[in-house]
Amino acid sequence: MNSNKIQLLNNFGLVLILLLIIGTLYSPLLCQSKNIVIISNLNSGRNFDLKRAEQITSLLNNEVDLNVIIFLGEISKSGSTAELKVIKSELEKLKTPYYIIGGYNNYSGINNYSSNFNQIFENDEFVLNDNNRILLGINSVIPNYPDNALIKVETTNKVMEELKTFKYNDAYLFINNSLSITQNAKYLLSLLKNKNILSFYPAEKSFSAKLNSDYKFLEIGVPPSINFDDINYLLIEEIYDTIRVIKKTDKKDLPESQYSISLNDLNLSNLSIDQPNIDSSLKKVFEIEFNTSSTTGSIAAANRIYTSLDNGLIYLNDLSGKEKFVTELMGTIKSNQVLYKDLLIAATIEGDLYSINSNTGEVLQVVGIGEKITSDIALIETINLNSKSIEVVFGTSEGNIFCYDAFSFELLWEKSISKVPIISTPLVQKDKVVFLNSNSSIYCVSAKSGSLNWKYEFSDNQNFSPKNYPRGDSKNIFSISPEGNLFAVDLLLGRKTWSSNTKGLLNQFYITSDKQSLVVINDIGMMTFISSKDGKEIQRIEFKKSGLFSFIIAENEWNLFVGFSDGSLYILDKKFVAKQLIPPNQIPITSINVLNKNEFIIKDINGKITLYKIN
């Protein structure tokens, strides 16, 4: 070969190398795939297996060109602090950044109160800008409601703010429930208008990929990553405009293609939010949006409305909407506050009891219980000779009950009555206080000493869902069994007087102000009035709903107001004629305060309070 040919080949080689370098600099998408690994339901109901976790860590560390690892669904069966710490220690060995969108079991039960998962894993939600696409990690679990899903307003607000700073065409959603059962998904999806959307969620059994019937985006169900015979995970590759979903295992088998689609074949999101039309008889006096989760009830008294938010803030507004004060408690508020004249009493899950000046918002006293406060608060009025004392009672995660003087915060008595948490609102009946624990067992104690009068116990079937019972009249205590049956127990003797088969109903009920009727509702909106005397059915009203998980009822002399978890509000007159005042907006109503015949206040789970007047 002569020198001219050698020189020509050398020049060609230099040009080729130069073109490759330029292509790498200016067209990086042509030279690399953008890979994501999804691990679904790491434990899936089993006890934690460290050996399996070590195998997964080793497998993932051998992967190349990974951008991120997403753990979807259940990672711990027990949810204990010790187990979660071991899991975190193992996952920290991963070379690739990882995020966890925990499953139902990580947020339910006693862990809802102790927040073990959130204490150990801080990155349970995320917004990532990843090569001209957005990765969104969304937690839609409603604690204690495994069949329902809801996205917190804080999550939607976070996504809305962070997306303002990014330029992107595609959005990958990683969520612990299918968006088809996520009640308020449209509020999140409306932020992704004109984008390609793919959503991944943990599936119970097999892989699935289909268009969401409501919003027409691609939704992929990811089966558990640990089976009896293998460990598997999904690798999401995006090369050019094609997305490939590949199943890989710990075996030596070749990777298995699960699904492939071009981004050009996806539907661009075009969802917009329309404001629901309220009934023409309603006039909105004022509306305040706190944009913070609020699961507790509001208090309306003497031209005032007290609103507590889950993040520890308590607001006082007058009935024109003007803010009078805001007070911050150091912790999470999940217990309903109580008001006595100029004294407001509130508690945090973390175990602190507060007394607050109800006029100024000044914190007067605070006492640490040393245990998590898992029940609501109740007040006891005790008369001794010519003096009257006001006492505060509540229960804790350790099954203990406490009674404090409301003004001095002196501990009057403390008793251990249960091996599991005390929940719901203590029911004060004359000289007795009735408590409910997470087994649905009922305990009746002396209001003066806390000594046990009687108990009506059930098995160890734990149920931590928020309860608005037990209720009572002068003779009976009304509650719901673990099987879902409504029943009555004699207040003096602690013996069951009647039981009504109410299985399939929502785990709550309401007792009318005249104490004559108990009101129950099922998940499709069938309301039933039951006699408090004998448990027999009185009346039925059909609201024709679907997927309900809670309701709120309030009443005055003329009407009954019913708010549902789909955001709708109805009014019933004394003849049981129902009229819809507010249509569904998929934001659950969490509080109703009836002020008079023509005015009422509603609060939703997003912390919005609205005063309405009926023309």
Side-chain angles (χ1 to χ4, degrees), residues 301-490:
N303 194 36
R304 298 176 174 187
I305 178 77
Y306 297 89
T307 305
S308 62
L309 307 179
D310 290 3
N311 65 3
L313 296 180
I314 298 177
Y315 285 84
L316 170 62
N317 296 86
D318 64 22
L319 296 189
S320 69
K322 183 179 179 181
E323 183 181 304
K324 293 298 185 179
F325 72 67
V326 55
T327 296
E328 182 177 9
L329 309 188
M330 302 306 293
T332 304
I333 302 177
K334 289 287 188 179
S335 302
N336 288 325
Q337 54 199 334
V338 293
L339 180 67
Y340 180 79
K341 295 184 178 180
D342 294 334
L343 194 65
L344 186 68
I345 307 291
T348 64
I349 287 179
E350 289 76 11
D352 292 323
L353 185 70
Y354 288 80
S355 64
I356 301 164
N357 185 312
S358 64
N359 300 309
T360 65
E362 176 190 0
V363 174
L364 303 175
Q365 295 185 91
V366 58
V367 59
I369 307 304
E371 301 173 18
K372 293 176 172 58
I373 298 176
T374 50
S375 81
D376 283 338
I377 304 167
L379 296 179
I380 303 174
E381 291 190 19
T382 303
I383 298 177
N384 297 310
L385 298 176
N386 295 324
S387 64
K388 181 171 68 174
S389 63
I390 305 300
E391 299 159 4
V392 180
V393 291
F394 55 88
T396 72
S397 60
E398 304 302 313
N400 298 322
I401 55 177
F402 291 82
C403 181
Y404 283 83
D405 182 277
F407 292 94
S408 68
F409 269 14
E410 174 190 357
L411 178 62
L412 302 178
W413 51 259
E414 171 190 354
K415 297 290 181 179
S416 177
I417 61 171
S418 171
K419 296 180 180 179
V420 295
I422 304 297
I423 58 177
S424 190
T425 304
L427 175 65
V428 179
Q429 298 279 275
K430 297 180 180 179
D431 60 345
K432 300 177 177 63
V433 188
V434 181
F435 292 88
L436 187 78
N437 75 1
S438 59
N439 288 343
S440 298
S441 299
I442 305 172
Y443 300 86
C444 178
V445 305
S446 165
K448 293 182 178 180
S449 65
S451 59
L452 185 67
N453 293 322
W454 54 262
K455 58 185 177 181
Y456 193 92
E457 292 189 308
F458 291 98
S459 63
D460 293 334
N461 183 18
Q462 295 281 300
N463 186 338
F464 294 88
S465 61
K467 296 178 175 66
N468 63 347
Y469 58 86
R471 303 283 191 175
D473 56 19
S474 59
K475 296 181 179 180
N476 290 314
I477 301 299
F478 307 104
S479 191
I480 297 179
S481 71
E483 294 79 24
N485 292 324
L486 188 66
F487 67 97
V489 175
D490 183 274

Side-chain angles (χ1 to χ4, degrees), residues 7 18 41 85 94 104-105 121 156 206 208 229 235 242 268 277 292 339 367 439 464 486 505 528 561 605:
Q7 184 63 37
L18 183 60
N41 284 328
K85 284 183 177 179
L94 291 170
Y104 173 75
N105 284 352
F121 295 101
T156 305
S206 58
S208 66
D229 57 345
L235 181 66
T242 299
L268 294 179
N277 295 320
T292 303
L339 180 67
V367 59
N439 288 343
F464 294 88
L486 188 66
L505 300 180
T528 306
F561 294 82
I605 201 169

Side-chain angles (χ1 to χ4, degrees), residues 152-169:
K152 293 187 297 184
V153 64
E154 291 90 342
T155 299
T156 305
N157 290 341
K158 175 183 177 181
V159 171
M160 180 173 59
E161 288 302 314
E162 297 206 22
L163 290 185
K164 291 178 181 178
T165 63
F166 299 143
K167 291 184 178 180
Y168 64 100
N169 297 319

Side-chain angles (χ1 to χ4, degrees), residues 21-32:
I21 293 173
I22 293 174
T24 302
L25 291 174
Y26 292 96
S27 301
L29 297 182
L30 301 178
C31 302
Q32 65 178 22

Side-chain angles (χ1 to χ4, degrees), residues 204-316:
E204 290 186 5
K205 296 181 180 179
S206 58
F207 177 88
S208 66
K210 58 184 178 181
L211 284 179
N212 180 282
S213 59
D214 294 322
Y215 307 118
K216 308 303 180 186
F217 63 87
L218 184 63
E219 196 165 30
I220 294 177
V222 184
S225 291
I226 294 185
N227 296 321
F228 292 104
D229 57 345
D230 69 2
I231 297 173
N232 65 83
Y233 55 93
L234 291 188
L235 181 66
I236 315 300
E237 289 186 338
E238 184 178 335
I239 304 176
Y240 301 105
D241 65 347
T242 299
I243 297 170
R244 294 194 301 169
V245 181
I246 300 169
K247 177 182 176 181
K248 305 189 76 172
T249 73
D250 59 336
K251 311 297 182 183
K252 294 183 179 180
D253 303 333
L254 292 175
E256 178 184 346
S257 178
Q258 298 284 88
Y259 192 76
S260 179
I261 191 172
S262 170
L263 287 171
N264 297 326
D265 294 333
L266 293 177
N267 297 312
L268 294 179
S269 172
N270 61 355
L271 182 66
S272 298
I273 302 298
D274 297 322
Q275 291 297 322
N277 295 320
I278 64 174
D279 188 83
S280 59
S281 66
L282 287 187
K283 176 184 177 182
K284 190 181 295 183
V285 178
F286 75 79
E287 183 175 87
I288 302 173
E289 297 198 42
F290 294 113
N291 283 312
T292 303
S293 295
S294 178
T295 51
T296 54
S298 296
I299 297 176
N303 194 36
R304 298 176 174 187
I305 178 77
Y306 297 89
T307 305
S308 62
L309 307 179
D310 290 3
N311 65 3
L313 296 180
I314 298 177
Y315 285 84
L316 170 62

